[in-house]
Structure formats: structure tokens, C-alpha cells
């Protein structure tokens, strides 16, 4: 019954919306499978029955508008891969197509047709393979996808826990492999069920992720010395790629659900992009000392200048001279007020950051949560650069406030967010960047003063190892301050409970986000989380 309801919702999400000469159909990927707060990959088909246009496609979901470029020729049909975030199965999208001049070419409302996975089971997708393969590898299969129906960006896989392949993944087009590789490096799990006598091709996805050339048989390939260190698991082999894991095995020798232990069981309900503690840790907009003195000094200067102008004006002999002097002085005072008091804007931006690393891997992944408030009416623009994805961040799953916000991805893959604020509104966003090679090896080991985290409890590191000191709940750790504790509790919820991490305060650090329309930028806290060996 649940499958029938999901199929009906998916069909509803693919309904065609018409408006004038432009028609738009929106269909979610992976059979509408989603996780609250995570990016949802949508395939939008734009049919243009009129003149060619170069404009924008906008989808407004739960109060946030997601915008991207749209270019369709005359009497032609174009495809667009859009990414939105939703927290409810019944989410709807307001679809708008605009010309380059801002004229509305199409406007409609459509159900996205989203569905949650089964509670207590990881979100696994079988790629170009029967669903039974995913069940065999991971003990779960939430959806299936053809090899030519995969998202072009790693953000499209953000809601998933695992991908299952039958064979070496050679059917996946070359254009779609970088997104899968980026997703794995960011923490995803890819599993391959191999046939004993079938070859592993050198140009296959498995060979790329394994760093080893193809072999005549799967057994030979698994036994070959590879660039990556592997270990046995469930009758197969597994190895780490960045923060993620690749596992493969020969089907007759694989144990049932051989790699199920690599995945989290809370995939369907896990919402990483809400957290009351971290949301409350941001201090909000306020007048700092420098701004206060700027306002006081500007106000005193204006009063003195006004008194002098009034005295000089009344000493003048002609009305024309008085009027010209008063007008010129007013313009000058307005310029002084703008330049001296609030030259940039009234917004305040505060950011927290987590750098994720893995022992034995020379790279890192950056995730930032940024809070935007204002001391008055303001419009703030954030530039996230070449981030992997940007989504709203909330206090809780029921919170949907924050005022107008637009998240945009341009043709070059750069993300920006713009929000209109008043004195009583706050907007928070979360952004993460692809795994970047090049983290210094000396920064990957534990050192004195770090925290070791295992199964939700922490202990302080002595020298380069644990001295057997007391383990205690992370909630009880206050030495780093409330801001760091809130950030650590949020990151612990994102990390797998069985993982072993070392945590370190990162000071100083610089945000990767630039802002316009702000009078102050602050840094809340930053931490390095290093994933230990299994």
C-alpha cells in the first residue's frame, strides 16, 4: 500500500504546468525519496512554444526561493537540474519562469511528490541493478535508478546513505561519475556486488574509486595490490575514500547484508539541518562598541554642523543664498550620515564551521552554518562560492520562519543567498564544500588537549594517545565554552554513533562566505573533526 501511495505521489510531482507559450514539468529523482532538510534533486523540463529566452527558473518551497539560469531556444524543449530543500512529504513548489528582463513567462503551483523511506532503515538506491542487490549488500533498498538518470552534482545524493551496484559500475556514464566520487569522499557509501568470473574493467566506476586498474576477474582485482588500504568485511573488501567508504565482494562469498553495518539506520528521519542548541548559540545582531562610537560621533558632528549652518544662513542677505546654502548643507549632511554611520548596511553575519578529516587521508571537507540578523530593515547577500550545496538551517523541524530568502546557483556553479530582514527576523543557512585534497598530514593526528569521541562519550587526549582517563558525556564538557559545546553536540548528531573521532578547536580561522549589506561579521566557533581508524 505504501508503495502505491509513493508511486501516486511521484506521478503527481511530474504533472505538467502550463502558462502561456511555456510549459514546465517537474519530477523528483530517486522516485521522490527525500530526507528532511537535505537537498532534493528535481528534473525540470521546460517546453517553449514561443521565442527563445535566456532567463531564470524559480521554485519556491516552504518559503524559500531556489533560482537558477534557464535558457531555451525557440520552439524547443530544455532540461534543468534543480535543487531544493523540503521537510515535509506534502511539500509543494511555486514554479516561475522569467525572461532576462524579469517578465514572467510561466507561473504555476505543483506538488513535488516526495516520500520518506521506511523508518529504521537506511536510504539505499540500487543503480542500474535489481533491488535485490541492494538488499543483499545493505539489507535495505528505498529506490532504484537507471544509470542514465543520475544527478549531475553530488548535492543530488545528499539525502542518501548508500548506493548499490551490480558489477563494476561500468554502465554509469563518465559524466555522472565525478558527482558519485564527490559524494563518496564526503561520507557516502558505495557497494559493488561482483560476479566471480566477470572482469573488472579499467574504465569502470569501481576501478576509479579503488585506484587500481582492471583485472580479468573480480577475485583477481580484489586480491591485487591497490593504492588504497583495504580490509575484509562480510566476505568482501572495504576501503576508505575521503570520509566515505567503498566496499565490494564476490556474490557467492558475500555474507547476507555484508555491509549493512556501514550505514546508519536513521536515514529516513535524520534532519541534520535543524538544531536548537546551535541556533540559539548565535548571539544575534547588536551594536558593537565601534558602531556605537561611530553613531555618537556622527550625531555630535551633525548637531554642530547644523548649528553652524543655521547661524551662517541667517546672516545671509538674500533668500536665494539662504536656500542654496541650506540645500547644499542638507546634501552634505546626508552624505556624512551615510558614510560615517552605516556605510555598508544594517545586517550582522555570524558563522560556525566544522572541518572534517579522516586519518590516513590527506584532505578535508568544510561545513559552515551562518546566521544573518539585522539591527533594522536590511537586505543581505551571502556568496558561498563553489559550494556543494546551500540549504536553510532552522531551530527545529516545525520552524519555517525567517522572512524572504532566495538561494541561487548560477551557470558556473557558484551559490549565493539573499534575504530581506527586519529587526525581529533571523535567517540561517548551512553550506558545505566538496572534499578538498591537501590537508597537512601533521594536522590529522591527535594532540594534547584534543577530545576523543566514541559512542557519544568523550575523554581528553594526553600527548598522542589516550591515557585511560575518565570518559564523560559531551554535554558535560564546558572547558571550551558554550558555543563550542553547541557546535560539537550538533556535529555529533551528524556523525555516525559508532565512529571514533578526535575533536580540536580551530583558531584562528576564516569563513569561506563573503557578505554584502552588513555592518559586522563575527566568528562563533570552529572545530576539526578527524575520523579515526575503524
Amino acid at each position: 500500500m505504501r508503495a502505491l501511495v509513493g508511486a501516486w505521489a511521484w506521478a503527481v510531482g511530474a504533472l505538467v504546468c502550463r502558462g502561456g507559450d511555456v510549459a514546465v514539468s517537474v519530477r523528483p529523482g530517486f522516485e521522490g525519496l527525500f530526507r528532511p532538510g537535505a537537498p532534493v534533486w528535481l528534473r525540470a523540463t521546460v517546453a517553449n512554444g514561443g521565442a527563445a529566452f535566456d532567463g531564470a527558473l524559480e521554485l519556491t518551497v516552504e518559503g524559500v526561493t531556489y533560482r537558477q539560469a534557464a535558457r531555451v531556444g525557440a520552439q524547443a524543449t530544455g532540461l534543468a537540474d534543480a535543487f531544493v530543500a523540503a521537510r515535509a512529504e506534502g511539500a509543494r513548489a511555486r514554479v516561475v519562469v522569467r525572461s532576462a528582463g524579469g517578465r514572467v513567462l510561466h507561473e504555476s503551483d505543483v506538488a513535488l511528490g516526495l516520500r520518506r523511506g521506511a523508518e529504521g532503515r537506511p536510504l539505499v538506491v540500487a543503480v542500474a541493478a535489481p533491488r535485490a542487490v541492494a538488499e543483499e549488500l545493505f539489507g535495505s533498498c528505498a529506490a532504484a535508478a537507471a544509470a542514465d538518470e543520475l544527478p549531475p552534482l553530488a548535492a543530488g545524493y545528499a539525502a542518501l546513505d548508500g548506493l548499490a551496484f551490480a558489477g563494476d559500475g561500468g554502465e554509469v556514464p563518465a559524466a555522472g561519475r565525478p558527482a558519485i566520487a564527490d559524494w563518496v569522499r564526503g561520507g557516502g557509501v558505495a557497494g559493488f556486488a561482483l560476479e566471480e568470473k566477470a572482469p573488472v574493467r579499467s574504465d569502470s566506476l569501481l576501478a576509479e574509486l579503488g585506484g587500481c586498474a582492471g583485472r580479468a576477474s573480480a577475485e583477481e582485482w580484489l586480491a591485487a595490490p591497490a593504492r588504497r588500504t583495504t580490509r575484509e568485511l562480510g566476505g568482501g573488501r572495504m576501503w576508505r575514500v575521503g570520509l566515505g567508504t567503498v566496499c565490494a565482494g564476490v556474490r557467492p562469498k558475500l555474507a547476507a547484508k555484508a555491509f549493512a553495518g556501514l550505514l546508519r539506520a536513521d536515514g529516513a528521519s535524520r534532519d541534520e539541518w535543524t538544531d536548537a542548541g546551535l541556533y540559539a548559540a548565535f548571539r544575534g545582531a547588536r551594536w558593537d562598541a565601534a558602531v556605537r562610537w561611530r553613531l555618537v560621533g556622527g550625531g555630535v558632528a551633525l548637531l554642530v554642523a547644523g548649528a553652524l549652518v543655521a547661524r551662517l544662513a541667517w546672516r545671509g542677505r538674500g533668500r536665494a543664498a539662504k536656500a542654496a546654502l541650506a540645500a547644499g548643507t542638507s546634501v552634505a549632511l546626508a552624505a556624512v550620515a551615510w558614510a560615517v554611520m552605516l556605510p555598508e548596511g544594517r545586517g550582522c553575519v555570524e558563522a560556525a564551521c566544522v572541518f572534517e578529516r579522516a586519518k590516513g587521508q590527506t584532505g578535508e571537507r568544510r561545513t559552515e552554518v551562518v546566521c544573518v540578523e539585522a539591527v533594522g530593515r536590511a537586505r543581505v547577500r551571502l556568496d558561498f562560492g563553489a559550494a556543494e550545496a546551500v540549504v536553510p538551517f532552522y531551530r527545529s523541524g516545525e520552524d519555517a520562519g525567517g522572512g524572504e530568502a532566495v538561494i541561487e546557483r548560477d551557470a558556473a556553479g557558484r551559490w549565493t543567498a539573499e534575504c530581506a530582514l527586519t529587526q525581529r527576523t533571523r535567517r540561517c543557512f548551512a553550506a558545505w564544500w566538496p572534499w578538498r585534497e591537501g590537508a597537512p598530514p601533521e594536522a590529522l593526528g591527535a594532540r594534547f588537549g584534543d577530545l576523543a569521541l566514541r559512542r557519544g562519550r568523550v575523554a581528553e587526549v594526553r600527548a598522542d594517545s589516550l591515557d585511560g582517563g575518565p570518559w564523560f558525556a559531551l554535554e558535560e564538557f564546558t572547558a571550551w565554552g558554550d558555543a563550542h559545546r553547541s557546535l560539537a553536540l550538533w556535529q555529533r548528531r551528524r556523525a555516525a554513533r559508532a565512529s571514533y573521532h578526535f575533536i580540536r578547536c580551530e583558531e584562528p580561522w576564516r569563513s569561506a562566505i563573503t557578505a554584502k549589506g552588513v555592518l559586522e561579521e563575527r566568528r562563533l566557533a570552529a572545530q576539526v573533526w578527524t575520523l579515526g581508524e575503524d
Side-chain angles (χ1 to χ4, degrees):
M1 183 64 183
R2 184 181 181 88
L4 291 176
V5 172
W8 174 83
W10 180 82
V12 170
L15 289 178
V16 175
C17 317
R18 296 189 177 275
D21 293 330
V22 177
V24 180
S25 65
V26 179
R27 181 168 62 89
F30 302 130
E31 302 175 7
L33 189 67
F34 92 111
R35 185 157 52 83
V40 176
W41 170 51
L42 302 175
R43 173 63 58 86
T45 304
V46 183
N48 181 22
F53 68 88
D54 186 357
L57 171 67
E58 298 179 354
L59 295 101
T60 302
V61 180
E62 296 176 347
V64 179
T65 299
Y66 301 85
R67 179 189 297 153
Q68 66 175 56
R71 177 182 299 174
V72 184
Q75 306 294 321
T77 299
L79 296 177
D81 295 292
F83 298 90
V84 303
R87 298 200 306 273
E89 283 183 293
R92 302 182 66 86
R94 177 175 170 266
V95 183
V96 177
V97 178
R98 300 181 187 273
S99 67
R103 184 169 64 92
V104 175
L105 304 176
H106 169 90
E107 184 174 4
S108 59
D109 183 84
V110 61
L112 293 180
L114 304 180
R115 66 177 181 89
R116 293 175 183 263
E119 290 293 335
R121 303 191 72 183
L123 301 184
V124 180
V125 171
V127 178
R131 293 173 181 263
V133 172
E135 292 282 357
E136 180 181 350
L137 291 174
F138 299 111
S140 176
C141 183
D148 58 351
E149 294 186 356
L150 298 175
L153 301 176
Y157 298 96
L160 306 183
D161 295 305
L163 293 176
F165 301 86
D168 59 7
E171 299 79 10
V172 178
R177 294 180 186 177
I180 296 177
D182 286 343
W183 170 75
V184 171
R185 294 188 190 99
V189 179
F192 297 81
L194 307 174
E195 299 296 335
E196 187 173 11
K197 301 301 181 182
V200 173
R201 294 163 285 188
S202 293
D203 61 349
S204 65
L205 177 63
L206 177 59
E208 292 181 18
L209 294 176
C212 181
R215 294 292 192 273
S217 68
E219 286 280 9
E220 185 180 350
W221 189 87
L222 289 173
R227 178 168 54 88
R228 304 186 187 279
T229 302
T230 66
R231 70 178 181 88
E232 293 186 6
L233 180 67
R237 307 290 299 183
M238 61 156 287
W239 59 96
R240 182 171 290 163
V241 179
L243 297 171
T245 305
V246 181
C247 45
V250 177
R251 299 184 73 174
K253 298 182 179 180
L254 277 175
K257 306 178 183 179
F259 307 126
L262 299 174
L263 304 181
R264 298 179 57 163
D266 59 349
S269 58
R270 187 170 77 252
D271 187 353
E272 300 177 5
W273 311 116
T274 61
D275 190 85
L278 182 56
Y279 189 93
F282 292 110
R283 293 168 289 175
R286 66 184 190 277
W287 301 104
D288 65 2
V291 174
R292 287 195 188 99
W293 280 111
R294 187 190 306 167
L295 291 172
V296 171
V300 171
L302 288 176
L303 289 174
V304 173
L308 293 175
V309 168
R311 185 171 181 178
L312 291 173
W314 285 111
R315 285 185 176 183
R317 296 183 178 180
R319 294 183 179 179
K322 291 181 181 181
L325 183 59
T329 305
S330 299
V331 173
L333 292 180
V336 169
W338 178 261
V340 175
M341 293 186 182
L342 299 173
E344 297 295 334
R346 297 183 179 89
C348 177
V349 174
E350 192 170 11
C353 181
V354 172
F355 299 94
E356 295 177 90
R357 299 170 182 168
K359 192 172 183 179
Q361 307 286 318
T362 56
E364 68 180 13
R365 176 184 178 90
R366 171 193 287 258
T367 301
E368 287 195 39
V369 178
V370 59
C371 176
V372 186
E373 287 195 25
V375 295
R377 291 189 177 275
R379 181 169 289 274
V380 177
R381 180 180 176 85
L382 304 174
D383 187 345
F384 298 91
E388 186 172 300
V390 178
V391 297
F393 187 92
Y394 296 102
R395 179 191 298 271
S396 66
E398 293 73 32
D399 180 20
E404 173 192 346
V406 178
I407 297 176
E408 182 173 357
R409 181 173 62 90
D410 65 16
R414 297 183 64 87
W415 293 79
T416 59
E418 188 170 336
C419 48
L421 301 168
T422 65
Q423 195 168 3
R424 292 182 295 274
T425 58
R426 164 185 284 194
R427 264 293 179 190
C428 294
F429 301 94
W432 59 98
W433 285 258
W435 175 268
R436 178 181 60 87
E437 294 289 346
E442 64 272 10
L444 298 177
R447 62 188 182 189
F448 180 80
D450 291 356
L451 289 181
L453 172 69
R454 173 175 284 175
R455 299 190 180 279
R457 300 181 68 80
V458 295
E460 292 192 59
V461 174
R462 308 296 182 186
D464 290 328
S465 61
L466 294 176
D467 66 349
W471 291 78
F472 52 92
L474 182 57
E475 290 83 352
E476 300 172 4
F477 184 72
T478 59
W480 293 352
D482 292 340
H484 274 285
R485 182 175 60 180
S486 298
L487 181 61
L489 288 172
W490 170 67
Q491 177 63 19
R492 184 191 67 178
R493 189 162 59 84
R494 297 179 64 220
R497 184 172 176 80
S499 300
Y500 192 2
H501 288 87
F502 292 102
I503 311 171
R504 175 185 309 162
C505 286
E506 182 74 356
E507 291 292 347
W509 68 282
R510 295 184 62 183
S511 173
I513 305 167
T514 57
K516 293 182 179 180
V518 301
L519 59 87
E520 184 183 14
E521 296 184 42
R522 298 196 301 266
R523 292 181 293 274
L524 179 70
Q527 297 171 0
V528 176
W529 282 56
T530 302
L531 181 62
E533 294 180 344
D534 298 308

